[in-house]
């Protein structure tokens, strides 16, 4: 049973470009979370999605960031017009049930560098 | 702001010794979870303790929870070099949002 998959593992973008980060949850998991980690910091919650629904996006910046989890295919975190401050590691996690009742399973992360 | 704050920020001990890390949080929780992160990797779940539990064991790990003090501790007994990692506590308050993480304790086990 494959774990949570994220790609790409490393992504370099110039300021103003778009970044697309993909996450495939563990088989059987329909709940996906995105977190951002700045250097030497803990993870910060961004968004919680179920298939075709955004359940909570209270941690998402209001502009330039969007997320989706379509019926088919991976969850996508999209950052438009990236700026240097977007440089961070972005982690996706999945769980078999909603919210935080049980542990979350994390992917290896995508390290975004904005030059 | 961070919900959980780990203490100490960094800890270096000899292999075979026990390592204790503490976590304090601010608001009421449904559960508290500990995760490990090796350098440059994703997080691995270690243990989950619910608000109505006081202590939990898993192998060489022992977690305690004191809801009156809003604090938790993680004890790793008989440490090994492979335990070198950052350890994070994360809380869930019962809402629709995700986990709230602290900044972590960086543990170094000296051979």
């Amino acid at each position: 049973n494959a774990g949570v998959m994220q790609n790409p593992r490393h992504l370099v973008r110039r300021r103003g470009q778009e970044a697309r980060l993909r996450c495939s949850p563990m088989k059987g998991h329909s709940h996906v979370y995105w977190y951002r980690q700045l250097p030497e910091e803990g993870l910060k919650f961004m968004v919680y999605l179920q298939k075709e629904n955004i359940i909570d996006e209270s941690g998402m910046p209001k502009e330039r960031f969007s997320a989706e989890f379509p019926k088919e295919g991976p969850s996508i975190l999209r950052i438009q017009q990236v700026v240097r401050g977007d440089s961070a590691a972005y982690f996706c996690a999945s769980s078999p049930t909603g919210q935080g009742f049980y542990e979350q399973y994390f992917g290896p992360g995508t390290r975004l560098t904005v030059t | 702001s961070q919900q959980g704050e780990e203490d100490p920020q960094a800890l270096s001990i000899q292999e075979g010794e026990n390592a204790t890390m503490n976590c304090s949080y601010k608001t009421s929780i449904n559960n508290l979870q500990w995760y490990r992160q090796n350098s440059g990797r994703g997080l691995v779940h270690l243990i989950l303790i619910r608000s109505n539990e006081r202590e939990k064991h898993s192998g060489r790990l022992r977690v305690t929870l004191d809801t009156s003090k809003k604090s938790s501790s993680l004890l790793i007994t008989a440490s090994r070099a492979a335990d070198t990692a950052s350890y994070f506590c994360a809380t869930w308050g019962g809402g629709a949002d995700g986990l709230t993480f602290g900044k972590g304790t960086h543990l170094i086990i000296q051979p």
Side-chain angles (χ1 to χ4, degrees), chain A residues 17-86:
Chain A
Q17 291 184 318
E18 178 179 289
R20 276 182 184 247
L21 288 62
R22 286 176 290 278
C23 168
S24 296
M26 282 185 73
K27 188 176 181 181
H29 289 192
S30 59
H31 301 262
V32 167
Y33 307 79
W34 284 94
Y35 295 85
R36 177 165 63 179
Q37 184 180 35
L38 297 171
E40 306 302 320
E41 297 276 327
L43 278 68
K44 293 240 173 107
F45 167 75
M46 298 180 75
V47 62
Y48 161 37
L49 310 105
Q50 292 180 35
K51 289 279 187 181
E52 300 183 280
N53 280 307
I54 296 174
I55 306 302
D56 188 292
E57 55 182 349
S58 57
M60 286 270 274
K62 293 287 186 285
E63 297 176 349
R64 302 187 298 107
F65 285 72
S66 62
E68 62 177 9
F69 189 15
K71 189 176 178 181
E72 300 290 339
S75 175
I76 306 286
L77 179 67
R78 182 180 175 212
I79 311 173
Q80 295 178 288
Q81 299 174 336
V82 296
V83 300
R84 288 227 171 97
D86 297 332

Side-chain angles (χ1 to χ4, degrees), chain A residues 9 33 35 37 40-45 48 55-56 58 91 98-109 111, chain B residues 1-2 30-31 33 35 37 40-45 48 50 88 92 94-104:
Chain A
R9 295 290 304 275
Y33 307 79
Y35 295 85
Q37 184 180 35
E40 306 302 320
E41 297 276 327
L43 278 68
K44 293 240 173 107
F45 167 75
Y48 161 37
I55 306 302
D56 188 292
S58 57
F91 291 94
Q99 304 179 332
F101 285 108
Y102 300 98
E103 64 267 29
Q104 295 179 9
Y105 296 81
F106 282 81
R111 276 148 188 84
Chain B
S1 61
Q2 300 287 123
N30 178 285
N31 66 58
Q33 305 178 31
Y35 288 82
Q37 183 180 36
R41 310 289 280 275
L43 275 72
V44 174
H45 179 264
L48 181 154
R50 303 196 187 283
F88 295 90
W92 182 56
D97 55 352
L99 300 174
T100 302
F101 285 82
K103 292 187 178 182

Side-chain angles (χ1 to χ4, degrees), chain B:
Chain B
S1 61
Q2 300 287 123
Q3 160 76 314
E5 292 289 340
E6 290 89 344
D7 170 62
Q9 289 186 325
L11 179 62
S12 180
I13 60 173
Q14 294 294 124
E15 195 167 20
E17 293 180 337
N18 295 341
T20 299
M21 288 158 271
N22 301 297
C23 168
S24 60
Y25 57 92
K26 295 173 183 162
T27 60
S28 62
I29 62 171
N30 178 285
N31 66 58
L32 184 145
Q33 305 178 31
W34 284 91
Y35 288 82
R36 184 186 72 223
Q37 183 180 36
N38 290 87
S39 181
R41 310 289 280 275
L43 275 72
V44 174
H45 179 264
L46 296 176
I47 201 163
L48 181 154
I49 187 165
R50 303 196 187 283
S51 60
N52 61 351
E53 297 176 310
R54 291 296 167 258
E55 188 171 312
K56 211 160 182 182
H57 296 254
S58 176
R60 294 184 295 114
L61 306 180
R62 173 177 164 251
V63 167
T64 63
L65 178 64
D66 186 337
T67 52
S68 67
K69 294 181 179 177
K70 291 187 169 57
S71 67
S72 173
S73 68
L74 170 67
L75 168 68
I76 303 174
T77 60
S79 63
R80 305 167 182 168
D83 294 330
T84 294
S86 291
Y87 291 81
F88 295 90
C89 70
T91 56
W92 182 56
D97 55 352
L99 300 174
T100 302
F101 285 82
K103 292 187 178 182
T105 291
H106 185 48
L107 176 64
I108 297 172
I109 308 300
Q110 312 259 9

